[in-house]
Short mmCIF file of all heavy atoms in Angstrom, two decimals:
data_model
loop_
_atom_site.label_atom_id
_atom_site.label_comp_id
_atom_site.label_asym_id
_atom_site.label_seq_id
_atom_site.Cartn_x
_atom_site.Cartn_y
_atom_site.Cartn_z
N MET A 53 -1.84 10.79 10.62
CA MET A 53 -1.70 9.87 9.51
C MET A 53 -2.07 8.47 10.00
O MET A 53 -1.65 8.06 11.07
CB MET A 53 -0.26 9.92 8.99
CG MET A 53 -0.03 9.10 7.73
SD MET A 53 1.66 9.12 7.13
CE MET A 53 1.67 10.61 6.18
N THR A 54 -2.84 7.77 9.22
CA THR A 54 -3.25 6.43 9.61
C THR A 54 -2.12 5.44 9.34
O THR A 54 -1.17 5.73 8.61
CB THR A 54 -4.49 5.99 8.81
OG1 THR A 54 -4.12 5.86 7.44
CG2 THR A 54 -5.64 6.96 8.98
N THR A 55 -2.25 4.25 9.90
CA THR A 55 -1.27 3.21 9.66
C THR A 55 -1.20 2.87 8.18
O THR A 55 -0.12 2.69 7.63
CB THR A 55 -1.63 1.95 10.47
OG1 THR A 55 -1.66 2.31 11.86
CG2 THR A 55 -0.61 0.86 10.27
N SER A 56 -2.34 2.81 7.52
CA SER A 56 -2.36 2.52 6.08
C SER A 56 -1.61 3.59 5.30
O SER A 56 -0.82 3.28 4.40
CB SER A 56 -3.80 2.42 5.57
OG SER A 56 -4.45 1.33 6.17
N ALA A 57 -1.84 4.84 5.63
CA ALA A 57 -1.15 5.93 4.94
C ALA A 57 0.35 5.89 5.21
O ALA A 57 1.16 6.16 4.32
CB ALA A 57 -1.74 7.28 5.35
N GLU A 58 0.72 5.53 6.44
CA GLU A 58 2.14 5.41 6.77
C GLU A 58 2.79 4.28 5.98
O GLU A 58 3.90 4.44 5.46
CB GLU A 58 2.32 5.16 8.27
CG GLU A 58 1.95 6.36 9.12
CD GLU A 58 1.85 6.03 10.60
OE1 GLU A 58 1.93 4.84 10.98
OE2 GLU A 58 1.69 6.97 11.39
N MET A 59 2.10 3.15 5.88
CA MET A 59 2.64 2.03 5.12
C MET A 59 2.74 2.37 3.64
O MET A 59 3.73 2.02 2.98
CB MET A 59 1.77 0.78 5.32
CG MET A 59 1.89 0.18 6.71
SD MET A 59 3.58 -0.32 7.13
CE MET A 59 3.88 -1.60 5.93
N LEU A 60 1.76 3.09 3.11
CA LEU A 60 1.81 3.51 1.72
C LEU A 60 3.03 4.40 1.49
O LEU A 60 3.75 4.23 0.50
CB LEU A 60 0.53 4.23 1.32
CG LEU A 60 0.51 4.83 -0.09
CD1 LEU A 60 0.80 3.77 -1.15
CD2 LEU A 60 -0.81 5.53 -0.34
N ALA A 61 3.28 5.32 2.41
CA ALA A 61 4.44 6.20 2.28
C ALA A 61 5.74 5.40 2.31
O ALA A 61 6.67 5.68 1.54
CB ALA A 61 4.44 7.24 3.40
N LYS A 62 5.81 4.37 3.16
CA LYS A 62 7.02 3.54 3.23
C LYS A 62 7.23 2.75 1.95
O LYS A 62 8.35 2.65 1.45
CB LYS A 62 6.92 2.59 4.43
CG LYS A 62 7.08 3.29 5.75
CD LYS A 62 6.96 2.32 6.91
CE LYS A 62 7.07 3.05 8.23
NZ LYS A 62 7.03 2.14 9.37
N TYR A 63 6.15 2.18 1.41
CA TYR A 63 6.28 1.42 0.17
C TYR A 63 6.65 2.32 -1.00
O TYR A 63 7.43 1.95 -1.86
CB TYR A 63 5.00 0.64 -0.13
CG TYR A 63 5.02 -0.75 0.46
CD1 TYR A 63 4.54 -0.99 1.73
CD2 TYR A 63 5.54 -1.82 -0.26
CE1 TYR A 63 4.58 -2.26 2.28
CE2 TYR A 63 5.57 -3.09 0.27
CZ TYR A 63 5.10 -3.30 1.55
OH TYR A 63 5.14 -4.56 2.08
N THR A 64 6.10 3.54 -1.02
CA THR A 64 6.44 4.48 -2.08
C THR A 64 7.91 4.88 -1.99
O THR A 64 8.60 4.93 -3.00
CB THR A 64 5.53 5.73 -1.99
OG1 THR A 64 4.17 5.31 -2.10
CG2 THR A 64 5.84 6.73 -3.08
N ALA A 65 8.39 5.11 -0.76
CA ALA A 65 9.81 5.44 -0.57
C ALA A 65 10.70 4.27 -0.95
O ALA A 65 11.76 4.45 -1.56
CB ALA A 65 10.05 5.85 0.88
N ALA A 66 10.28 3.06 -0.60
CA ALA A 66 11.06 1.86 -0.94
C ALA A 66 11.14 1.69 -2.45
O ALA A 66 12.21 1.37 -3.00
CB ALA A 66 10.44 0.63 -0.29
N GLU A 67 10.02 1.91 -3.13
CA GLU A 67 10.02 1.77 -4.58
C GLU A 67 10.97 2.79 -5.21
O GLU A 67 11.76 2.45 -6.10
CB GLU A 67 8.60 1.97 -5.11
CG GLU A 67 8.48 1.76 -6.60
CD GLU A 67 7.05 1.88 -7.09
OE1 GLU A 67 6.12 2.10 -6.28
OE2 GLU A 67 6.86 1.75 -8.31
N ALA A 68 10.93 4.03 -4.73
CA ALA A 68 11.82 5.06 -5.25
C ALA A 68 13.28 4.71 -4.99
O ALA A 68 14.14 4.88 -5.86
CB ALA A 68 11.48 6.41 -4.63
N ALA A 69 13.56 4.18 -3.80
CA ALA A 69 14.93 3.80 -3.46
C ALA A 69 15.42 2.67 -4.36
O ALA A 69 16.57 2.69 -4.81
CB ALA A 69 15.01 3.39 -1.99
N ILE A 70 14.57 1.70 -4.63
CA ILE A 70 14.96 0.60 -5.50
C ILE A 70 15.23 1.13 -6.91
O ILE A 70 16.22 0.76 -7.55
CB ILE A 70 13.86 -0.49 -5.53
CG1 ILE A 70 13.78 -1.18 -4.17
CG2 ILE A 70 14.14 -1.52 -6.62
CD1 ILE A 70 12.55 -2.05 -4.01
N LEU A 71 14.37 2.00 -7.38
CA LEU A 71 14.55 2.56 -8.71
C LEU A 71 15.83 3.39 -8.80
O LEU A 71 16.43 3.50 -9.87
CB LEU A 71 13.33 3.38 -9.12
CG LEU A 71 12.05 2.57 -9.33
CD1 LEU A 71 10.86 3.50 -9.52
CD2 LEU A 71 12.20 1.63 -10.52
N ASP A 72 16.23 3.98 -7.68
CA ASP A 72 17.47 4.75 -7.63
C ASP A 72 18.68 3.86 -7.39
O ASP A 72 19.81 4.34 -7.35
CB ASP A 72 17.40 5.81 -6.53
CG ASP A 72 16.45 6.95 -6.89
OD1 ASP A 72 16.16 7.13 -8.08
OD2 ASP A 72 16.01 7.65 -5.97
N GLY A 73 18.45 2.55 -7.16
CA GLY A 73 19.55 1.61 -6.96
C GLY A 73 20.11 1.62 -5.55
O GLY A 73 21.23 1.18 -5.32
N GLN A 74 19.36 2.11 -4.60
CA GLN A 74 19.83 2.19 -3.22
C GLN A 74 19.40 0.98 -2.41
O GLN A 74 18.56 0.19 -2.82
CB GLN A 74 19.30 3.45 -2.55
CG GLN A 74 19.78 4.71 -3.21
CD GLN A 74 19.18 5.95 -2.57
OE1 GLN A 74 18.39 5.86 -1.64
NE2 GLN A 74 19.55 7.10 -3.07
N ILE A 75 19.95 0.90 -1.22
CA ILE A 75 19.57 -0.13 -0.26
C ILE A 75 18.25 0.29 0.38
O ILE A 75 18.04 1.45 0.69
CB ILE A 75 20.66 -0.29 0.82
CG1 ILE A 75 21.94 -0.81 0.17
CG2 ILE A 75 20.20 -1.20 1.94
CD1 ILE A 75 23.13 -0.80 1.11
N VAL A 76 17.37 -0.67 0.58
CA VAL A 76 16.07 -0.40 1.19
C VAL A 76 16.05 -0.98 2.59
O VAL A 76 16.47 -2.12 2.81
CB VAL A 76 14.95 -1.03 0.34
CG1 VAL A 76 13.60 -0.80 0.99
CG2 VAL A 76 14.97 -0.47 -1.06
N ARG A 77 15.56 -0.21 3.56
CA ARG A 77 15.49 -0.67 4.94
C ARG A 77 14.05 -0.62 5.44
O ARG A 77 13.35 0.36 5.23
CB ARG A 77 16.34 0.20 5.85
CG ARG A 77 17.81 0.11 5.59
CD ARG A 77 18.58 1.04 6.53
NE ARG A 77 19.97 1.09 6.14
CZ ARG A 77 20.92 0.39 6.75
NH1 ARG A 77 20.64 -0.38 7.76
NH2 ARG A 77 22.17 0.48 6.34
N PHE A 78 13.63 -1.70 6.09
CA PHE A 78 12.34 -1.78 6.79
C PHE A 78 12.68 -2.12 8.23
O PHE A 78 12.88 -3.29 8.55
CB PHE A 78 11.43 -2.86 6.19
CG PHE A 78 10.83 -2.49 4.88
CD1 PHE A 78 11.27 -3.08 3.71
CD2 PHE A 78 9.81 -1.56 4.80
CE1 PHE A 78 10.71 -2.75 2.49
CE2 PHE A 78 9.24 -1.22 3.59
CZ PHE A 78 9.70 -1.81 2.43
N GLY A 79 12.74 -1.13 9.08
CA GLY A 79 13.14 -1.39 10.47
C GLY A 79 14.56 -1.90 10.50
O GLY A 79 15.48 -1.24 10.02
N GLU A 80 14.75 -3.08 11.03
CA GLU A 80 16.08 -3.67 11.13
C GLU A 80 16.46 -4.47 9.89
O GLU A 80 17.60 -4.87 9.73
CB GLU A 80 16.17 -4.55 12.37
CG GLU A 80 16.04 -3.78 13.66
CD GLU A 80 16.14 -4.65 14.88
OE1 GLU A 80 16.49 -5.84 14.75
OE2 GLU A 80 15.87 -4.15 15.97
N ARG A 81 15.51 -4.74 9.01
CA ARG A 81 15.79 -5.50 7.79
C ARG A 81 16.41 -4.60 6.73
O ARG A 81 15.99 -3.47 6.55
CB ARG A 81 14.51 -6.10 7.22
CG ARG A 81 14.06 -7.32 7.95
CD ARG A 81 12.83 -7.92 7.34
NE ARG A 81 13.03 -8.27 5.93
CZ ARG A 81 12.05 -8.55 5.10
NH1 ARG A 81 10.81 -8.50 5.51
NH2 ARG A 81 12.30 -8.85 3.85
N GLN A 82 17.39 -5.12 6.04
CA GLN A 82 18.03 -4.38 4.96
C GLN A 82 18.01 -5.25 3.71
O GLN A 82 18.42 -6.41 3.75
CB GLN A 82 19.47 -4.05 5.32
CG GLN A 82 20.23 -3.37 4.22
CD GLN A 82 21.64 -3.02 4.64
OE1 GLN A 82 21.83 -2.50 5.71
NE2 GLN A 82 22.60 -3.30 3.78
N LEU A 83 17.52 -4.70 2.64
CA LEU A 83 17.47 -5.41 1.37
C LEU A 83 18.37 -4.69 0.37
O LEU A 83 18.16 -3.51 0.08
CB LEU A 83 16.04 -5.46 0.82
CG LEU A 83 15.00 -6.10 1.74
CD1 LEU A 83 13.60 -5.92 1.15
CD2 LEU A 83 15.30 -7.56 1.92
N THR A 84 19.36 -5.39 -0.13
CA THR A 84 20.22 -4.78 -1.12
C THR A 84 19.81 -5.17 -2.53
O THR A 84 20.14 -4.50 -3.47
CB THR A 84 21.70 -5.18 -0.89
OG1 THR A 84 21.78 -6.61 -0.85
CG2 THR A 84 22.20 -4.60 0.42
N ARG A 85 19.12 -6.26 -2.68
CA ARG A 85 18.63 -6.70 -3.98
C ARG A 85 17.13 -6.92 -3.87
O ARG A 85 16.64 -8.01 -4.03
CB ARG A 85 19.34 -7.98 -4.40
CG ARG A 85 20.84 -7.77 -4.53
CD ARG A 85 21.52 -9.01 -4.95
NE ARG A 85 21.14 -9.28 -6.34
CZ ARG A 85 21.52 -10.35 -7.01
NH1 ARG A 85 22.28 -11.25 -6.44
NH2 ARG A 85 21.15 -10.53 -8.25
N ALA A 86 16.41 -5.85 -3.58
CA ALA A 86 14.98 -5.93 -3.37
C ALA A 86 14.25 -6.27 -4.67
O ALA A 86 14.71 -5.92 -5.76
CB ALA A 86 14.45 -4.62 -2.81
N ASN A 87 13.12 -6.91 -4.52
CA ASN A 87 12.30 -7.28 -5.66
C ASN A 87 11.31 -6.15 -5.94
O ASN A 87 10.36 -5.95 -5.20
CB ASN A 87 11.57 -8.59 -5.35
CG ASN A 87 10.82 -9.11 -6.55
OD1 ASN A 87 10.42 -8.37 -7.43
ND2 ASN A 87 10.63 -10.42 -6.56
N LEU A 88 11.55 -5.43 -7.00
CA LEU A 88 10.73 -4.27 -7.34
C LEU A 88 9.26 -4.65 -7.50
O LEU A 88 8.37 -3.94 -7.03
CB LEU A 88 11.25 -3.60 -8.61
CG LEU A 88 10.47 -2.38 -9.10
CD1 LEU A 88 10.47 -1.28 -8.04
CD2 LEU A 88 11.05 -1.87 -10.40
N ILE A 89 8.99 -5.78 -8.13
CA ILE A 89 7.60 -6.21 -8.36
C ILE A 89 6.87 -6.41 -7.03
O ILE A 89 5.72 -5.99 -6.87
CB ILE A 89 7.56 -7.51 -9.20
CG1 ILE A 89 8.18 -7.28 -10.57
CG2 ILE A 89 6.14 -8.03 -9.33
CD1 ILE A 89 7.49 -6.24 -11.42
N GLU A 90 7.53 -7.04 -6.06
CA GLU A 90 6.89 -7.25 -4.76
C GLU A 90 6.60 -5.93 -4.07
O GLU A 90 5.54 -5.76 -3.46
CB GLU A 90 7.76 -8.14 -3.88
CG GLU A 90 7.78 -9.58 -4.31
CD GLU A 90 8.61 -10.46 -3.40
OE1 GLU A 90 8.84 -10.07 -2.24
OE2 GLU A 90 9.01 -11.54 -3.84
N VAL A 91 7.53 -4.99 -4.14
CA VAL A 91 7.32 -3.68 -3.52
C VAL A 91 6.20 -2.94 -4.23
O VAL A 91 5.33 -2.34 -3.58
CB VAL A 91 8.63 -2.86 -3.51
CG1 VAL A 91 8.37 -1.43 -3.04
CG2 VAL A 91 9.66 -3.53 -2.62
N GLN A 92 6.15 -3.01 -5.55
CA GLN A 92 5.07 -2.35 -6.28
C GLN A 92 3.71 -2.97 -5.95
O GLN A 92 2.73 -2.25 -5.79
CB GLN A 92 5.33 -2.43 -7.79
CG GLN A 92 6.45 -1.52 -8.23
CD GLN A 92 6.81 -1.68 -9.69
OE1 GLN A 92 6.66 -2.76 -10.26
NE2 GLN A 92 7.27 -0.61 -10.30
N ASN A 93 3.67 -4.29 -5.83
CA ASN A 93 2.41 -4.95 -5.46
C ASN A 93 1.98 -4.53 -4.05
O ASN A 93 0.79 -4.30 -3.80
CB ASN A 93 2.55 -6.46 -5.55
CG ASN A 93 2.63 -6.95 -6.98
OD1 ASN A 93 2.21 -6.25 -7.90
ND2 ASN A 93 3.17 -8.14 -7.17
N GLY A 94 2.92 -4.43 -3.13
CA GLY A 94 2.61 -3.97 -1.78
C GLY A 94 2.11 -2.54 -1.78
O GLY A 94 1.13 -2.21 -1.09
N ARG A 95 2.74 -1.67 -2.57
CA ARG A 95 2.30 -0.28 -2.67
C ARG A 95 0.88 -0.21 -3.20
O ARG A 95 0.03 0.53 -2.68
CB ARG A 95 3.23 0.51 -3.59
CG ARG A 95 2.76 1.96 -3.78
CD ARG A 95 3.58 2.72 -4.80
NE ARG A 95 3.84 2.02 -6.04
CZ ARG A 95 2.97 1.91 -7.06
NH1 ARG A 95 1.75 2.42 -6.97
NH2 ARG A 95 3.30 1.27 -8.17
N LYS A 96 0.57 -0.99 -4.22
CA LYS A 96 -0.79 -0.98 -4.78
C LYS A 96 -1.82 -1.44 -3.76
O LYS A 96 -2.92 -0.88 -3.68
CB LYS A 96 -0.84 -1.87 -6.03
CG LYS A 96 -0.09 -1.27 -7.20
CD LYS A 96 -0.04 -2.23 -8.37
CE LYS A 96 0.85 -1.69 -9.47
NZ LYS A 96 1.01 -2.64 -10.57
N GLU A 97 -1.48 -2.44 -2.97
CA GLU A 97 -2.40 -2.91 -1.92
C GLU A 97 -2.65 -1.81 -0.90
O GLU A 97 -3.79 -1.58 -0.49
CB GLU A 97 -1.83 -4.16 -1.24
CG GLU A 97 -2.64 -4.61 -0.05
CD GLU A 97 -4.09 -4.99 -0.38
OE1 GLU A 97 -4.36 -5.42 -1.52
OE2 GLU A 97 -4.94 -4.87 0.52
N TRP A 98 -1.59 -1.13 -0.47
CA TRP A 98 -1.78 -0.05 0.52
C TRP A 98 -2.50 1.13 -0.10
O TRP A 98 -3.26 1.82 0.59
CB TRP A 98 -0.45 0.35 1.14
CG TRP A 98 0.02 -0.70 2.10
CD1 TRP A 98 1.03 -1.58 1.93
CD2 TRP A 98 -0.57 -1.01 3.36
NE1 TRP A 98 1.12 -2.42 3.00
CE2 TRP A 98 0.16 -2.09 3.91
CE3 TRP A 98 -1.62 -0.49 4.10
CZ2 TRP A 98 -0.15 -2.65 5.15
CZ3 TRP A 98 -1.92 -1.05 5.34
CH2 TRP A 98 -1.19 -2.12 5.84
N GLU A 99 -2.33 1.39 -1.39
CA GLU A 99 -3.11 2.45 -2.05
C GLU A 99 -4.60 2.12 -2.00
O GLU A 99 -5.43 2.99 -1.75
CB GLU A 99 -2.67 2.61 -3.51
CG GLU A 99 -1.37 3.33 -3.68
CD GLU A 99 -0.88 3.38 -5.11
OE1 GLU A 99 -1.38 2.58 -5.95
OE2 GLU A 99 0.00 4.19 -5.40
N ARG A 100 -4.94 0.84 -2.23
CA ARG A 100 -6.35 0.42 -2.15
C ARG A 100 -6.90 0.61 -0.74
O ARG A 100 -8.04 1.05 -0.56
CB ARG A 100 -6.50 -1.04 -2.59
CG ARG A 100 -6.41 -1.24 -4.09
CD ARG A 100 -6.78 -2.65 -4.50
NE ARG A 100 -5.79 -3.64 -4.06
CZ ARG A 100 -4.73 -4.00 -4.77
NH1 ARG A 100 -4.51 -3.48 -5.95
NH2 ARG A 100 -3.89 -4.91 -4.31
N ARG A 101 -6.09 0.26 0.25
CA ARG A 101 -6.55 0.39 1.64
C ARG A 101 -6.77 1.85 2.02
O ARG A 101 -7.76 2.19 2.68
CB ARG A 101 -5.56 -0.26 2.60
CG ARG A 101 -5.54 -1.76 2.49
CD ARG A 101 -4.60 -2.36 3.49
NE ARG A 101 -4.46 -3.79 3.31
CZ ARG A 101 -3.95 -4.60 4.20
NH1 ARG A 101 -3.52 -4.12 5.36
NH2 ARG A 101 -3.85 -5.89 3.96
N VAL A 102 -5.83 2.72 1.62
CA VAL A 102 -5.97 4.14 1.92
C VAL A 102 -7.21 4.70 1.23
O VAL A 102 -7.99 5.44 1.83
CB VAL A 102 -4.70 4.92 1.50
CG1 VAL A 102 -4.94 6.42 1.52
CG2 VAL A 102 -3.54 4.55 2.41
N ALA A 103 -7.43 4.32 -0.03
CA ALA A 103 -8.61 4.79 -0.76
C ALA A 103 -9.89 4.33 -0.08
O ALA A 103 -10.85 5.10 0.04
CB ALA A 103 -8.56 4.30 -2.21
N ALA A 104 -9.92 3.08 0.40
CA ALA A 104 -11.11 2.57 1.09
C ALA A 104 -11.35 3.34 2.39
O ALA A 104 -12.50 3.70 2.69
CB ALA A 104 -10.95 1.08 1.38
N GLU A 105 -10.28 3.62 3.14
CA GLU A 105 -10.44 4.38 4.38
C GLU A 105 -10.95 5.79 4.09
O GLU A 105 -11.80 6.30 4.81
CB GLU A 105 -9.11 4.46 5.13
CG GLU A 105 -8.71 3.16 5.78
CD GLU A 105 -7.36 3.24 6.47
OE1 GLU A 105 -6.72 4.32 6.46
OE2 GLU A 105 -6.93 2.21 7.03
N GLN A 106 -10.45 6.41 3.03
CA GLN A 106 -10.90 7.76 2.68
C GLN A 106 -12.36 7.74 2.23
O GLN A 106 -13.12 8.64 2.58
CB GLN A 106 -10.01 8.34 1.57
CG GLN A 106 -8.62 8.66 2.05
CD GLN A 106 -7.68 9.06 0.93
OE1 GLN A 106 -7.95 8.82 -0.24
NE2 GLN A 106 -6.56 9.66 1.29
N ARG A 107 -12.74 6.71 1.49
CA ARG A 107 -14.13 6.58 1.04
C ARG A 107 -15.06 6.43 2.24
O ARG A 107 -16.11 7.06 2.31
CB ARG A 107 -14.24 5.39 0.09
CG ARG A 107 -15.54 5.25 -0.61
CD ARG A 107 -15.53 4.17 -1.69
NE ARG A 107 -14.83 2.93 -1.34
CZ ARG A 107 -13.62 2.58 -1.80
NH1 ARG A 107 -12.95 3.39 -2.60
NH2 ARG A 107 -13.07 1.44 -1.44
N ILE A 108 -14.68 5.61 3.20
CA ILE A 108 -15.50 5.40 4.40
C ILE A 108 -15.55 6.68 5.23
O ILE A 108 -16.61 7.04 5.75
CB ILE A 108 -14.95 4.22 5.22
CG1 ILE A 108 -15.20 2.92 4.44
CG2 ILE A 108 -15.58 4.16 6.60
CD1 ILE A 108 -14.48 1.71 5.00
N ALA A 109 -14.44 7.41 5.31
CA ALA A 109 -14.41 8.66 6.08
C ALA A 109 -15.34 9.71 5.47
O ALA A 109 -15.88 10.55 6.19
CB ALA A 109 -12.98 9.19 6.14
N ARG A 110 -15.54 9.64 4.17
CA ARG A 110 -16.46 10.58 3.50
C ARG A 110 -17.91 10.13 3.60
O ARG A 110 -18.79 10.75 3.03
CB ARG A 110 -16.07 10.73 2.03
CG ARG A 110 -14.79 11.50 1.80
CD ARG A 110 -14.60 11.83 0.33
NE ARG A 110 -14.71 10.67 -0.54
CZ ARG A 110 -13.68 9.94 -0.99
NH1 ARG A 110 -12.46 10.24 -0.62
NH2 ARG A 110 -13.87 8.92 -1.79
N GLY A 111 -18.15 9.02 4.28
CA GLY A 111 -19.52 8.54 4.44
C GLY A 111 -19.90 7.45 3.48
O GLY A 111 -21.04 7.01 3.46
N GLY A 112 -18.96 7.00 2.69
CA GLY A 112 -19.25 5.92 1.75
C GLY A 112 -19.16 4.58 2.45
O GLY A 112 -19.07 4.48 3.66
N THR A 113 -19.21 3.53 1.67
CA THR A 113 -19.11 2.19 2.22
C THR A 113 -17.92 1.48 1.61
O THR A 113 -17.41 1.86 0.56
CB THR A 113 -20.38 1.37 1.92
OG1 THR A 113 -20.54 1.28 0.51
CG2 THR A 113 -21.60 1.99 2.55
N SER A 114 -17.51 0.44 2.25
CA SER A 114 -16.45 -0.40 1.73
C SER A 114 -17.00 -1.19 0.55
O SER A 114 -18.12 -1.67 0.61
CB SER A 114 -15.97 -1.36 2.83
OG SER A 114 -15.07 -2.30 2.29
N PRO A 115 -16.23 -1.34 -0.52
CA PRO A 115 -16.76 -2.08 -1.67
C PRO A 115 -17.09 -3.53 -1.36
O PRO A 115 -17.87 -4.16 -2.04
CB PRO A 115 -15.64 -1.99 -2.70
CG PRO A 115 -14.45 -1.48 -2.01
CD PRO A 115 -14.90 -0.84 -0.74
N ARG A 116 -16.54 -4.07 -0.30
CA ARG A 116 -16.82 -5.46 0.07
C ARG A 116 -18.18 -5.62 0.74
O ARG A 116 -18.70 -6.71 0.82
CB ARG A 116 -15.75 -5.97 1.03
CG ARG A 116 -14.39 -6.05 0.40
CD ARG A 116 -13.39 -6.57 1.37
NE ARG A 116 -12.06 -6.54 0.79
CZ ARG A 116 -10.96 -6.74 1.44
NH1 ARG A 116 -10.99 -6.99 2.72
NH2 ARG A 116 -9.80 -6.69 0.84
N TYR A 117 -18.73 -4.52 1.24
CA TYR A 117 -19.97 -4.61 2.02
C TYR A 117 -21.05 -3.68 1.48
O TYR A 117 -21.79 -3.09 2.21
CB TYR A 117 -19.68 -4.27 3.48
CG TYR A 117 -18.63 -5.15 4.08
CD1 TYR A 117 -17.35 -4.68 4.30
CD2 TYR A 117 -18.90 -6.47 4.39
CE1 TYR A 117 -16.37 -5.50 4.83
CE2 TYR A 117 -17.93 -7.30 4.92
CZ TYR A 117 -16.66 -6.80 5.14
OH TYR A 117 -15.70 -7.62 5.65
N GLN A 118 -21.15 -3.59 0.19
CA GLN A 118 -22.17 -2.72 -0.39
C GLN A 118 -23.53 -3.42 -0.37
O GLN A 118 -23.62 -4.63 -0.53
CB GLN A 118 -21.82 -2.36 -1.82
CG GLN A 118 -20.64 -1.43 -1.91
CD GLN A 118 -20.33 -1.04 -3.34
OE1 GLN A 118 -20.85 -1.63 -4.27
NE2 GLN A 118 -19.50 -0.02 -3.51
N THR A 119 -24.56 -2.64 -0.17
CA THR A 119 -25.92 -3.15 -0.18
C THR A 119 -26.47 -3.01 -1.60
O THR A 119 -26.42 -1.94 -2.17
CB THR A 119 -26.80 -2.35 0.79
OG1 THR A 119 -26.21 -2.38 2.07
CG2 THR A 119 -28.20 -2.92 0.85
N PRO A 120 -26.97 -4.09 -2.18
CA PRO A 120 -27.49 -4.01 -3.54
C PRO A 120 -28.77 -3.19 -3.59
O PRO A 120 -29.55 -3.18 -2.65
CB PRO A 120 -27.75 -5.46 -3.92
CG PRO A 120 -27.88 -6.19 -2.65
CD PRO A 120 -27.05 -5.44 -1.64
N ASP A 121 -28.97 -2.52 -4.71
CA ASP A 121 -30.16 -1.74 -4.93
C ASP A 121 -30.96 -2.40 -6.06
O ASP A 121 -30.55 -2.41 -7.21
CB ASP A 121 -29.80 -0.31 -5.34
CG ASP A 121 -31.01 0.58 -5.52
OD1 ASP A 121 -32.14 0.15 -5.23
OD2 ASP A 121 -30.82 1.72 -5.98
N PHE A 122 -32.11 -3.01 -5.71
CA PHE A 122 -32.91 -3.74 -6.67
C PHE A 122 -34.09 -2.93 -7.20
O PHE A 122 -35.03 -3.48 -7.73
CB PHE A 122 -33.44 -5.04 -6.04
CG PHE A 122 -32.33 -5.99 -5.66
CD1 PHE A 122 -32.03 -6.23 -4.34
CD2 PHE A 122 -31.60 -6.63 -6.64
CE1 PHE A 122 -31.02 -7.10 -3.97
CE2 PHE A 122 -30.58 -7.51 -6.30
CZ PHE A 122 -30.29 -7.73 -4.95
N SER A 123 -34.03 -1.63 -7.05
CA SER A 123 -35.16 -0.80 -7.51
C SER A 123 -35.14 -0.55 -8.98
O SER A 123 -34.23 -0.76 -9.69
CB SER A 123 -35.18 0.52 -6.76
OG SER A 123 -33.96 1.20 -6.93
#
């Protein structure tokens, strides 16, 4: 599992924990009143990163570095 995939899994677990009303832990940090919006935004960012890594692994390119086709 890549670091991006691991982070996505952590953010997904944190989001579920917040929705369940539980305490969320990131290493030694403990959040009892976590901000759901911030966790959801973080999850979305890691989803984009995982998708980009998967696209590159399949032989595609990163959307930031695409070569234009003027034909």
Side-chain angles (χ1 to χ4, degrees):
M53 186 181 276
T54 66
T55 301
S56 296
E58 291 168 353
M59 289 301 296
L60 175 56
K62 288 179 182 183
Y63 269 90
T64 301
E67 184 176 359
I70 292 168
L71 292 171
D72 289 339
Q74 298 177 359
I75 295 171
V76 178
R77 294 179 188 260
F78 286 107
E80 295 181 9
R81 282 183 58 195
Q82 176 178 315
L83 303 173
T84 54
R85 300 181 69 183
N87 186 334
L88 179 60
I89 298 299
E90 287 182 21
V91 172
Q92 288 175 330
N93 289 339
R95 177 186 46 80
K96 290 174 186 175
E97 174 61 28
W98 287 107
E99 285 175 342
R100 284 189 291 270
R101 290 183 186 196
V102 168
E105 287 178 1
Q106 290 172 344
R107 189 171 41 256
I108 291 169
R110 289 190 308 264
T113 60
S114 172
R116 295 181 184 169
Y117 303 105
Q118 290 182 347
T119 304
D121 182 7
F122 297 110
S123 57

